[in-house]
Amino acid sequence: MLTSKVSCCLVAHLAILLGLLLLGTCRGQNWSSFQNKHIDFPKSSASNPNAYCNLMMMRRNLNPKRCKPLNTFVHASQSDIQAVCSREGTRYKDNLYDSNREFPLTDCKNVGGNPPNNCNYVGTPGTKKIRVACENNYPVHFELVHTTG
Ligand SMILES: *[C@@H]1O[C@H](CO)[C@@H](O)[C@H](O)[C@H]1NC(C)=O
């Protein structure tokens, strides 16, 4: 009686632990989280690029526990960005694809502040090719931006 209660409890705890582990490894690696982190189209308005980054990083809840050091927002439609995984992209290696064309975007670099709502960013607008990791033809991870060349 007692032993079965204990082992049941243990199993429940292990199941919870496993669930948390799975959640952890999958965190942020899907199309919907990609859109939240990396797509802002049409571009939200702000008085300047720094203010834009401060606002967007807060609005998208990207700094829950720490100020994320770097993040890029691409100002193109979901379908244009998704297409990088197929006809609008060139495979770099593995599941990484480079966009064939340049996208307007804003790079946000953290320069201090406090999470979750007072992280300070320097925003740098640009137009660059992007590299994304694709799963089932959907971008799930933003790899980097290429300097134009
Ligand atoms: C995508 O990842 C987020 C965590 O970043 C998670 O909350 C959400 O449930 C995931 N969505 C799907 C469809 O797996």
Side-chain angles (χ1 to χ4, degrees), residues 98-116:
D98 292 341
S99 65
N100 293 339
R101 72 168 177 95
E102 299 179 338
F103 290 108
L105 49 80
T106 305
D107 287 321
C108 300
K109 187 180 186 320
N110 180 252
V111 289
N114 296 297

Side-chain angles (χ1 to χ4, degrees), residues 23 26-33 37:
L23 245 171
C26 297
R27 219 176 96 81
Q29 300 286 301
N30 64 45
W31 173 227
S32 70
S33 62
K37 280 186 281 194

Side-chain angles (χ1 to χ4, degrees), residues 19-112:
L20 287 176
L21 279 174
L22 285 174
L23 245 171
T25 47
C26 297
R27 219 176 96 81
Q29 300 286 301
N30 64 45
W31 173 227
S32 70
S33 62
F34 181 98
Q35 291 174 66
N36 182 60
K37 280 186 281 194
H38 300 299
I39 301 182
D40 180 37
F41 181 77
K43 183 175 182 286
S44 306
S45 67
S47 50
N48 60 64
N50 296 357
Y52 171 83
C53 286
N54 293 344
L55 177 74
M56 289 301 294
M57 295 301 287
M58 180 173 70
R59 190 180 277 172
R60 299 290 180 87
N61 196 26
L62 299 182
N63 301 317
K65 295 211 176 65
R66 59 158 200 164
C67 296
K68 192 179 181 192
L70 284 172
N71 192 64
T72 300
F73 293 102
V74 184
H75 312 305
S77 70
Q78 295 174 5
S79 59
D80 281 354
I81 293 173
Q82 194 205 330
V84 173
C85 290
S86 50
R87 64 183 186 282
E88 294 297 327
T90 303
R91 189 161 168 270
Y92 166 64
K93 64 169 188 183
D94 301 329
N95 66 336
L96 298 176
Y97 288 77
D98 292 341
S99 65
N100 293 339
R101 72 168 177 95
E102 299 179 338
F103 290 108
L105 49 80
T106 305
D107 287 321
C108 300
K109 187 180 186 320
N110 180 252
V111 289

